Amino acid sequence: MNGDHEPARAAMAMGRPRCGNRLLDTLSDADFARIERHLEPMELPPGRVLFEPGDDVTHACFPCDGAAVALVAVMTDGRSAETAVIGCEGAVGVIISAGDKPAFTRAVVQMPGSGLRLEAARIEQLKLESPRARDLISRYADALLAQVLQSVACNALHPVEARACRWLLSLQDRAGTAELPLTQERLAELLGVRRTTVTRVIADLEAAGIIDHSRGRVRVASRARLERNACECYRTVRDHFMRVAPGLYPEPQATADDADVKARGP
């Protein structure tokens, strides 16, 4: 990979204030200047639906530090399952084409915070004017597609316990903290299972010392143990993301007992 896609610290080194969204912060000064005045701040409270299947996607949403949005596939009988989670590494609705832009999934806020939104037409114009920005967005699109495709295989092949660990790791990466404001209902939607199943999984993880749980909150007590119990999909998606779009994916957050766990081995 060339050095054109260094993370937000490159923008900070040039004196440009951070947005808190790594995709925006990785844009060159010239490319960021093309869209800066059109970026609108927005609040992302938990459970907010940004769009439903079939809605016209008129804006892209760039989650900032700590916020995360889930893309959820919805069945005709009302059941649903998450296909991807998007945080400060990317944007919701940025992978669009000219003309009509109907949404295929529901986009719902999983981790609260703030974000920036930008008209879809501005993104199209940016891609037309800047080959560098177009390449960056294409790389991000590749990484997001990999996450969606891996989710399909994961849902079909891996047990719910391993999938739960995978999603907790993914959410912790986006949140940047061990404290996750996550209800059992939302985790059940992530996994596409009943709440009773999630209750059992949460209890098992807590008994193993991997997480702590209270109403509306999950705290990762041992990231090392969580990674050991997760399926291969977490690392597969993260590694591909880092190869294709280096600098966008946030650094994993260690917990206090991880060094002891790794020293003891399996």
Side-chain angles (χ1 to χ4, degrees), residues 211-232:
I211 65 169
D212 295 321
H213 173 256
S214 61
R215 185 175 178 84
R217 181 188 68 89
V218 172
R219 184 181 73 85
V220 178
S222 174
R223 183 179 174 97
R225 288 192 179 98
L226 193 61
E227 287 196 27
R228 287 182 181 179
N229 284 271
C231 58
E232 66 194 78

Side-chain angles (χ1 to χ4, degrees), residues 21-104:
N21 177 279
R22 296 168 78 93
L23 185 59
L24 290 176
D25 286 336
T26 303
L27 290 172
S28 69
D29 283 351
D31 289 339
F32 186 74
R34 288 184 169 98
I35 61 172
E36 181 176 13
R37 67 182 182 278
H38 304 293
L39 290 168
E40 305 171 27
M42 62 185 303
E43 292 301 314
L44 297 173
R48 176 180 176 180
V49 175
L50 302 183
F51 50 74
E52 293 281 5
D55 287 352
D56 190 27
V57 181
T58 60
H59 291 75
C61 168
F62 298 82
C64 296
D65 295 325
V69 177
L71 299 183
V72 180
V74 183
M75 303 295 107
T76 55
D77 62 3
R79 292 182 298 168
S80 62
E82 184 169 348
T83 60
V85 61
I86 299 169
C88 64
E89 81 287 352
V92 181
V94 76
I95 305 171
I96 52 179
S97 59
D100 293 335
K101 306 169 185 70
F104 185 74

Side-chain angles (χ1 to χ4, degrees), residues 11-244:
M12 294 168 63
M14 293 184 285
R16 195 175 86 212
R18 290 179 67 252
C19 291
N21 177 279
R22 296 168 78 93
L23 185 59
L24 290 176
D25 286 336
T26 303
L27 290 172
S28 69
D29 283 351
D31 289 339
F32 186 74
R34 288 184 169 98
I35 61 172
E36 181 176 13
R37 67 182 182 278
H38 304 293
L39 290 168
E40 305 171 27
M42 62 185 303
E43 292 301 314
L44 297 173
R48 176 180 176 180
V49 175
L50 302 183
F51 50 74
E52 293 281 5
D55 287 352
D56 190 27
V57 181
T58 60
H59 291 75
C61 168
F62 298 82
C64 296
D65 295 325
V69 177
L71 299 183
V72 180
V74 183
M75 303 295 107
T76 55
D77 62 3
R79 292 182 298 168
S80 62
E82 184 169 348
T83 60
V85 61
I86 299 169
C88 64
E89 81 287 352
V92 181
V94 76
I95 305 171
I96 52 179
S97 59
D100 293 335
K101 306 169 185 70
F104 185 74
T105 62
R106 173 185 296 151
V108 58
V109 177
Q110 287 288 358
M111 304 291 294
S114 62
L116 295 165
R117 72 173 200 158
L118 181 66
E119 287 180 307
R122 302 291 180 185
I123 299 172
E124 288 300 311
Q125 188 63 32
L126 174 63
K127 291 192 291 185
L128 287 173
E129 294 175 353
S130 171
R132 181 175 179 177
R134 184 168 63 249
D135 179 62
L136 175 63
I137 294 171
S138 294
R139 289 171 182 269
Y140 170 66
D142 180 284
L144 181 60
L145 178 59
Q147 184 182 174
V148 173
L149 293 176
Q150 194 71 28
S151 292
V152 174
C154 184
N155 290 340
L157 300 174
H158 293 149
V160 65
E161 293 83 1
R163 293 194 289 121
C165 292
R166 173 202 171 193
W167 283 119
L168 290 173
L169 288 166
S170 297
L171 290 174
Q172 188 195 10
D173 288 346
R174 273 74 177 188
T177 176
E179 299 281 343
L180 306 177
L182 182 67
T183 64
Q184 291 191 17
E185 290 88 349
R186 289 208 176 89
L187 186 56
E189 184 176 61
L190 286 173
L191 298 169
V193 298
R194 296 180 183 275
R195 182 179 172 179
T196 52
T197 301
V198 168
T199 299
R200 174 181 58 79
V201 171
I202 289 291
D204 290 345
L205 293 176
E206 191 165 27
I210 297 173
I211 65 169
D212 295 321
H213 173 256
S214 61
R215 185 175 178 84
R217 181 188 68 89
V218 172
R219 184 181 73 85
V220 178
S222 174
R223 183 179 174 97
R225 288 192 179 98
L226 193 61
E227 287 196 27
R228 287 182 181 179
N229 284 271
C231 58
E232 66 194 78
C233 299
Y234 167 72
R235 188 171 295 276
T236 297
V237 170
R238 190 187 72 187
D239 289 351
H240 181 76
F241 211 118
M242 290 178 170
R243 286 194 301 271
V244 172

